[in-house]
mmCIF file of all heavy atoms in Angstrom:
data_model
loop_
_atom_site.group_PDB
_atom_site.id
_atom_site.type_symbol
_atom_site.label_atom_id
_atom_site.label_comp_id
_atom_site.label_asym_id
_atom_site.label_seq_id
_atom_site.Cartn_x
_atom_site.Cartn_y
_atom_site.Cartn_z
ATOM 1 N N VAL Z 236 -189.389 -161.668 -64.241
ATOM 2 C CA VAL Z 236 -188.076 -162.422 -64.145
ATOM 3 C C VAL Z 236 -188.445 -163.960 -63.530
ATOM 4 O O VAL Z 236 -187.821 -164.826 -64.057
ATOM 5 C CB VAL Z 236 -187.198 -161.700 -63.025
ATOM 6 C CG1 VAL Z 236 -186.060 -162.665 -62.551
ATOM 7 C CG2 VAL Z 236 -186.703 -160.395 -63.565
ATOM 8 N N MET Z 281 -193.903 -140.943 -66.062
ATOM 9 C CA MET Z 281 -193.676 -142.269 -65.604
ATOM 10 C C MET Z 281 -194.942 -142.967 -65.009
ATOM 11 O O MET Z 281 -195.051 -144.111 -64.896
ATOM 12 C CB MET Z 281 -192.628 -142.239 -64.499
ATOM 13 C CG MET Z 281 -191.265 -141.691 -64.998
ATOM 14 S SD MET Z 281 -190.504 -142.427 -66.466
ATOM 15 C CE MET Z 281 -190.798 -141.134 -67.753
ATOM 16 N N ALA Z 325 -208.882 -137.908 -72.883
ATOM 17 C CA ALA Z 325 -208.293 -137.060 -71.922
ATOM 18 C C ALA Z 325 -207.576 -137.699 -70.749
ATOM 19 O O ALA Z 325 -206.685 -137.109 -70.103
ATOM 20 C CB ALA Z 325 -209.274 -136.004 -71.416
ATOM 21 N N GLY Z 364 -212.044 -145.953 -58.971
ATOM 22 C CA GLY Z 364 -212.508 -147.385 -59.209
ATOM 23 C C GLY Z 364 -211.629 -148.343 -58.440
ATOM 24 O O GLY Z 364 -210.582 -148.043 -58.013
ATOM 25 N N GLN Z 395 -184.710 -140.621 -54.115
ATOM 26 C CA GLN Z 395 -183.503 -140.583 -53.255
ATOM 27 C C GLN Z 395 -182.647 -139.454 -53.624
ATOM 28 O O GLN Z 395 -182.694 -138.856 -54.680
ATOM 29 C CB GLN Z 395 -182.733 -141.823 -53.281
ATOM 30 C CG GLN Z 395 -183.491 -143.075 -52.854
ATOM 31 C CD GLN Z 395 -182.709 -144.375 -53.317
ATOM 32 O OE1 GLN Z 395 -182.993 -144.817 -54.404
ATOM 33 N NE2 GLN Z 395 -181.783 -144.967 -52.575
ATOM 34 N N PHE Z 397 -178.633 -137.454 -53.889
ATOM 35 C CA PHE Z 397 -177.296 -137.808 -53.882
ATOM 36 C C PHE Z 397 -176.417 -136.313 -53.855
ATOM 37 O O PHE Z 397 -176.934 -135.425 -54.106
ATOM 38 C CB PHE Z 397 -176.809 -138.537 -55.209
ATOM 39 C CG PHE Z 397 -177.204 -137.754 -56.426
ATOM 40 C CD1 PHE Z 397 -176.319 -136.912 -56.943
ATOM 41 C CD2 PHE Z 397 -178.404 -137.959 -57.189
ATOM 42 C CE1 PHE Z 397 -176.461 -136.280 -58.138
ATOM 43 C CE2 PHE Z 397 -178.694 -137.285 -58.298
ATOM 44 C CZ PHE Z 397 -177.772 -136.370 -58.880
ATOM 45 N N ALA Z 429 -174.531 -140.876 -67.989
ATOM 46 C CA ALA Z 429 -175.258 -142.001 -68.607
ATOM 47 C C ALA Z 429 -174.306 -142.941 -69.139
ATOM 48 O O ALA Z 429 -174.771 -144.196 -68.967
ATOM 49 C CB ALA Z 429 -176.084 -141.464 -69.856
ATOM 50 N N PHE Z 436 -180.148 -149.463 -72.210
ATOM 51 C CA PHE Z 436 -180.197 -148.195 -72.936
ATOM 52 C C PHE Z 436 -180.528 -147.169 -71.863
ATOM 53 O O PHE Z 436 -180.870 -147.336 -70.792
ATOM 54 C CB PHE Z 436 -181.361 -148.355 -73.977
ATOM 55 C CG PHE Z 436 -182.799 -148.624 -73.386
ATOM 56 C CD1 PHE Z 436 -183.635 -147.755 -72.910
ATOM 57 C CD2 PHE Z 436 -183.032 -150.038 -73.242
ATOM 58 C CE1 PHE Z 436 -184.806 -148.142 -72.288
ATOM 59 C CE2 PHE Z 436 -184.267 -150.427 -72.655
ATOM 60 C CZ PHE Z 436 -185.194 -149.413 -72.194
ATOM 61 N N ASP Z 473 -180.908 -168.797 -88.127
ATOM 62 C CA ASP Z 473 -179.555 -169.479 -88.073
ATOM 63 C C ASP Z 473 -178.565 -168.781 -88.959
ATOM 64 O O ASP Z 473 -178.776 -168.721 -90.232
ATOM 65 C CB ASP Z 473 -179.786 -171.005 -88.581
ATOM 66 C CG ASP Z 473 -180.627 -171.678 -87.552
ATOM 67 O OD1 ASP Z 473 -180.526 -171.388 -86.332
ATOM 68 O OD2 ASP Z 473 -181.307 -172.638 -87.937
#
Side-chain angles (χ1 to χ4, degrees):
V236 172
M281 302 304 108
Q395 300 164 272
F397 61 87
F436 57 90
D473 288 329

